[in-house]
Short mmCIF file of all heavy atoms in Angstrom, two decimals:
data_model
loop_
_atom_site.label_atom_id
_atom_site.label_comp_id
_atom_site.label_asym_id
_atom_site.label_seq_id
_atom_site.Cartn_x
_atom_site.Cartn_y
_atom_site.Cartn_z
N ARG A 1 7.88 8.65 9.33
CA ARG A 1 7.55 10.01 9.32
C ARG A 1 7.83 10.67 10.69
O ARG A 1 8.31 11.74 10.87
CB ARG A 1 6.27 10.27 8.79
CG ARG A 1 6.18 10.29 7.29
CD ARG A 1 4.78 10.59 6.72
NE ARG A 1 4.44 12.03 7.25
CZ ARG A 1 4.86 13.15 6.69
NH1 ARG A 1 5.74 13.13 5.67
NH2 ARG A 1 4.42 14.32 7.15
N ALA A 2 7.27 9.94 11.74
CA ALA A 2 7.30 10.49 13.08
C ALA A 2 8.71 10.53 13.67
O ALA A 2 9.10 11.46 14.36
CB ALA A 2 6.31 9.71 13.97
N ARG A 3 9.41 9.41 13.45
CA ARG A 3 10.85 9.28 14.04
C ARG A 3 11.94 9.87 13.20
O ARG A 3 12.87 10.46 13.70
CB ARG A 3 11.04 7.78 14.35
CG ARG A 3 12.30 7.45 15.04
CD ARG A 3 12.18 7.90 16.46
NE ARG A 3 13.42 7.63 17.23
CZ ARG A 3 13.65 6.52 17.86
NH1 ARG A 3 12.81 5.58 17.88
NH2 ARG A 3 14.81 6.34 18.53
N PHE A 4 11.84 9.64 11.88
CA PHE A 4 13.00 9.95 10.96
C PHE A 4 12.63 11.13 9.97
O PHE A 4 13.41 11.39 9.13
CB PHE A 4 13.45 8.70 10.28
CG PHE A 4 13.78 7.54 11.10
CD1 PHE A 4 13.03 6.45 11.17
CD2 PHE A 4 14.91 7.56 11.94
CE1 PHE A 4 13.23 5.37 12.02
CE2 PHE A 4 15.24 6.58 12.79
CZ PHE A 4 14.37 5.42 12.79
N GLY A 5 11.40 11.64 10.07
CA GLY A 5 11.03 12.62 9.15
C GLY A 5 10.99 12.29 7.70
O GLY A 5 11.34 13.13 6.83
N TRP A 6 10.47 11.06 7.32
CA TRP A 6 10.37 10.72 6.00
C TRP A 6 9.46 11.56 5.19
O TRP A 6 8.40 11.96 5.67
CB TRP A 6 9.86 9.28 5.91
CG TRP A 6 10.77 8.22 6.22
CD1 TRP A 6 12.09 8.38 6.69
CD2 TRP A 6 10.55 6.88 6.25
NE1 TRP A 6 12.65 7.21 6.93
CE2 TRP A 6 11.73 6.20 6.60
CE3 TRP A 6 9.47 6.04 5.88
CZ2 TRP A 6 11.93 4.80 6.84
CZ3 TRP A 6 9.64 4.68 6.00
CH2 TRP A 6 10.82 4.03 6.46
N ARG A 7 9.89 12.06 3.99
CA ARG A 7 9.16 12.92 3.15
C ARG A 7 9.33 12.61 1.74
O ARG A 7 10.23 11.83 1.40
CB ARG A 7 9.46 14.44 3.45
CG ARG A 7 9.20 14.91 4.85
CD ARG A 7 9.49 16.31 5.02
NE ARG A 7 8.70 17.18 4.30
CZ ARG A 7 8.82 18.48 4.23
NH1 ARG A 7 9.65 19.08 4.86
NH2 ARG A 7 7.91 19.18 3.46
N GLY A 8 8.60 13.38 0.91
CA GLY A 8 8.91 13.17 -0.56
C GLY A 8 8.78 11.75 -1.09
O GLY A 8 7.80 11.01 -0.75
N LYS A 9 9.57 11.53 -2.18
CA LYS A 9 9.36 10.27 -2.96
C LYS A 9 9.46 8.96 -2.06
O LYS A 9 8.73 8.00 -2.38
CB LYS A 9 10.36 10.18 -4.06
CG LYS A 9 10.19 11.30 -5.11
CD LYS A 9 11.10 11.18 -6.28
CE LYS A 9 10.79 12.22 -7.34
NZ LYS A 9 11.84 12.10 -8.46
N ARG A 10 10.34 9.03 -1.09
CA ARG A 10 10.42 7.74 -0.20
C ARG A 10 9.12 7.49 0.47
O ARG A 10 8.71 6.36 0.41
CB ARG A 10 11.61 7.95 0.74
CG ARG A 10 11.61 6.76 1.76
CD ARG A 10 12.55 7.09 2.88
NE ARG A 10 13.98 7.16 2.46
CZ ARG A 10 14.98 7.32 3.28
NH1 ARG A 10 14.80 7.62 4.59
NH2 ARG A 10 16.29 7.33 2.81
N ALA A 11 8.52 8.48 1.13
CA ALA A 11 7.29 8.26 1.81
C ALA A 11 6.18 7.89 0.87
O ALA A 11 5.42 6.97 1.21
CB ALA A 11 6.93 9.49 2.63
N VAL A 12 6.08 8.53 -0.25
CA VAL A 12 5.03 8.21 -1.18
C VAL A 12 5.17 6.90 -1.79
O VAL A 12 4.15 6.11 -1.93
CB VAL A 12 5.10 9.25 -2.39
CG1 VAL A 12 4.17 8.82 -3.49
CG2 VAL A 12 4.63 10.64 -1.80
N ALA A 13 6.43 6.40 -2.01
CA ALA A 13 6.68 5.05 -2.44
C ALA A 13 6.14 3.93 -1.48
O ALA A 13 5.51 2.96 -1.92
CB ALA A 13 8.14 4.79 -2.71
N VAL A 14 6.42 4.23 -0.14
CA VAL A 14 5.86 3.36 0.82
C VAL A 14 4.43 3.36 0.91
O VAL A 14 3.72 2.37 1.07
CB VAL A 14 6.46 3.77 2.17
CG1 VAL A 14 5.91 2.74 3.30
CG2 VAL A 14 8.00 3.60 2.20
N LEU A 15 3.81 4.54 0.79
CA LEU A 15 2.29 4.64 0.73
C LEU A 15 1.65 3.90 -0.38
O LEU A 15 0.79 3.14 -0.23
CB LEU A 15 1.89 6.19 0.61
CG LEU A 15 0.42 6.46 0.27
CD1 LEU A 15 -0.50 5.83 1.41
CD2 LEU A 15 0.23 7.95 0.21
N TYR A 16 2.24 4.02 -1.63
CA TYR A 16 1.85 3.29 -2.69
C TYR A 16 1.98 1.72 -2.55
O TYR A 16 1.05 0.98 -2.89
CB TYR A 16 2.57 3.64 -3.96
CG TYR A 16 2.16 4.96 -4.58
CD1 TYR A 16 3.02 5.64 -5.43
CD2 TYR A 16 1.04 5.66 -4.18
CE1 TYR A 16 2.73 6.93 -5.95
CE2 TYR A 16 0.69 6.90 -4.70
CZ TYR A 16 1.55 7.57 -5.56
OH TYR A 16 1.18 8.79 -6.13
N THR A 17 3.03 1.33 -1.92
CA THR A 17 3.28 -0.11 -1.74
C THR A 17 2.20 -0.63 -0.76
O THR A 17 1.58 -1.73 -1.04
CB THR A 17 4.69 -0.32 -1.12
OG1 THR A 17 5.71 0.20 -2.04
CG2 THR A 17 4.89 -1.77 -0.84
N GLY A 18 2.00 0.07 0.39
CA GLY A 18 1.01 -0.33 1.36
C GLY A 18 -0.48 -0.40 0.67
O GLY A 18 -1.25 -1.27 0.99
N SER A 19 -0.71 0.57 -0.16
CA SER A 19 -2.06 0.67 -0.86
C SER A 19 -2.26 -0.57 -1.76
O SER A 19 -3.34 -1.12 -1.75
CB SER A 19 -2.21 1.95 -1.51
OG SER A 19 -2.14 3.09 -0.68
N VAL A 20 -1.17 -0.90 -2.53
CA VAL A 20 -1.27 -2.06 -3.42
C VAL A 20 -1.51 -3.34 -2.59
O VAL A 20 -2.37 -4.16 -2.95
CB VAL A 20 0.01 -2.16 -4.33
CG1 VAL A 20 0.04 -3.46 -5.06
CG2 VAL A 20 0.02 -0.98 -5.29
N LEU A 21 -0.77 -3.52 -1.55
CA LEU A 21 -0.91 -4.66 -0.67
C LEU A 21 -2.31 -4.80 -0.06
O LEU A 21 -3.03 -5.85 -0.01
CB LEU A 21 0.11 -4.68 0.49
CG LEU A 21 1.54 -4.88 0.07
CD1 LEU A 21 2.50 -4.62 1.12
CD2 LEU A 21 1.76 -6.28 -0.48
N LEU A 22 -2.89 -3.56 0.34
CA LEU A 22 -4.25 -3.60 0.89
C LEU A 22 -5.24 -3.91 -0.21
O LEU A 22 -6.21 -4.65 -0.02
CB LEU A 22 -4.52 -2.17 1.42
CG LEU A 22 -5.85 -2.01 2.11
CD1 LEU A 22 -6.00 -2.99 3.25
CD2 LEU A 22 -6.09 -0.58 2.60
N LEU A 23 -4.99 -3.36 -1.46
CA LEU A 23 -5.86 -3.77 -2.54
C LEU A 23 -5.88 -5.22 -2.83
O LEU A 23 -6.96 -5.84 -3.16
CB LEU A 23 -5.50 -2.84 -3.74
CG LEU A 23 -6.51 -2.87 -4.88
CD1 LEU A 23 -7.74 -2.14 -4.55
CD2 LEU A 23 -5.88 -2.19 -6.14
N LEU A 24 -4.69 -5.84 -2.80
CA LEU A 24 -4.60 -7.24 -3.10
C LEU A 24 -5.29 -8.09 -1.97
O LEU A 24 -5.80 -9.18 -2.16
CB LEU A 24 -3.16 -7.66 -3.14
CG LEU A 24 -2.45 -7.22 -4.37
CD1 LEU A 24 -0.89 -7.55 -4.26
CD2 LEU A 24 -3.01 -7.75 -5.69
N GLY A 25 -5.36 -7.39 -0.64
CA GLY A 25 -5.88 -8.20 0.41
C GLY A 25 -7.23 -8.70 0.24
O GLY A 25 -7.53 -9.94 0.19
N TYR A 26 -8.25 -7.75 0.08
CA TYR A 26 -9.62 -8.15 -0.07
C TYR A 26 -10.10 -8.12 -1.56
O TYR A 26 -10.47 -9.16 -2.09
CB TYR A 26 -10.56 -7.21 0.77
CG TYR A 26 -11.97 -7.68 0.60
CD1 TYR A 26 -12.50 -8.78 1.46
CD2 TYR A 26 -12.89 -7.13 -0.32
CE1 TYR A 26 -13.82 -9.10 1.31
CE2 TYR A 26 -14.09 -7.50 -0.55
CZ TYR A 26 -14.62 -8.55 0.32
OH TYR A 26 -15.95 -9.04 0.17
N VAL A 27 -9.85 -7.01 -2.21
CA VAL A 27 -10.30 -6.91 -3.60
C VAL A 27 -9.66 -7.92 -4.46
O VAL A 27 -10.24 -8.62 -5.36
CB VAL A 27 -10.03 -5.49 -4.12
CG1 VAL A 27 -10.32 -5.42 -5.62
CG2 VAL A 27 -10.85 -4.48 -3.42
N GLY A 28 -8.36 -8.08 -4.28
CA GLY A 28 -7.61 -9.04 -5.19
C GLY A 28 -8.03 -10.46 -5.01
O GLY A 28 -8.21 -11.23 -5.89
N SER A 29 -8.12 -10.86 -3.69
CA SER A 29 -8.50 -12.21 -3.29
C SER A 29 -9.89 -12.54 -3.77
O SER A 29 -10.20 -13.57 -4.33
CB SER A 29 -8.30 -12.48 -1.88
OG SER A 29 -9.11 -11.66 -1.08
N ARG A 30 -10.78 -11.58 -3.55
CA ARG A 30 -12.18 -11.77 -3.94
C ARG A 30 -12.27 -11.82 -5.52
O ARG A 30 -13.14 -12.50 -6.07
CB ARG A 30 -13.10 -10.69 -3.48
CG ARG A 30 -13.29 -10.69 -1.94
CD ARG A 30 -13.87 -11.95 -1.45
NE ARG A 30 -15.13 -12.30 -2.04
CZ ARG A 30 -15.85 -13.32 -1.81
NH1 ARG A 30 -15.45 -14.21 -0.78
NH2 ARG A 30 -16.99 -13.52 -2.27
N PHE A 31 -11.58 -11.06 -6.25
CA PHE A 31 -11.56 -11.00 -7.73
C PHE A 31 -11.15 -12.37 -8.25
O PHE A 31 -11.83 -12.88 -9.14
CB PHE A 31 -10.56 -9.95 -8.28
CG PHE A 31 -10.49 -9.93 -9.77
CD1 PHE A 31 -11.35 -9.36 -10.66
CD2 PHE A 31 -9.38 -10.66 -10.32
CE1 PHE A 31 -11.25 -9.40 -11.98
CE2 PHE A 31 -9.24 -10.72 -11.73
CZ PHE A 31 -10.13 -10.09 -12.52
N VAL A 32 -10.12 -12.98 -7.68
CA VAL A 32 -9.75 -14.30 -8.07
C VAL A 32 -10.78 -15.30 -7.78
O VAL A 32 -11.16 -16.17 -8.64
CB VAL A 32 -8.36 -14.71 -7.31
CG1 VAL A 32 -8.12 -16.07 -7.64
CG2 VAL A 32 -7.22 -13.88 -7.77
N LEU A 33 -11.43 -15.21 -6.58
CA LEU A 33 -12.46 -16.20 -6.26
C LEU A 33 -13.78 -16.00 -7.14
O LEU A 33 -14.33 -17.02 -7.66
CB LEU A 33 -12.83 -16.04 -4.74
CG LEU A 33 -11.84 -16.61 -3.75
CD1 LEU A 33 -12.28 -16.22 -2.36
CD2 LEU A 33 -11.75 -18.19 -3.89
N GLU A 34 -14.20 -14.78 -7.29
CA GLU A 34 -15.47 -14.51 -7.96
C GLU A 34 -15.32 -14.61 -9.49
O GLU A 34 -16.32 -15.09 -10.06
CB GLU A 34 -15.98 -13.14 -7.54
CG GLU A 34 -16.37 -12.99 -6.06
CD GLU A 34 -16.76 -11.66 -5.81
OE1 GLU A 34 -17.11 -10.81 -6.56
OE2 GLU A 34 -16.66 -11.18 -4.49
N VAL A 35 -14.33 -14.06 -10.00
CA VAL A 35 -14.22 -13.94 -11.47
C VAL A 35 -13.39 -15.12 -12.08
O VAL A 35 -13.80 -15.80 -12.98
CB VAL A 35 -13.59 -12.59 -11.87
CG1 VAL A 35 -13.52 -12.53 -13.46
CG2 VAL A 35 -14.52 -11.43 -11.27
#
């Protein structure tokens, strides 16, 4: 966004991808261990 001016669907897709990875990081790993 800062260098190339990413906007719209491309930027949102990257945001969703990062959020899913973050969710898998702690919540996903703990869900597997605990449940």
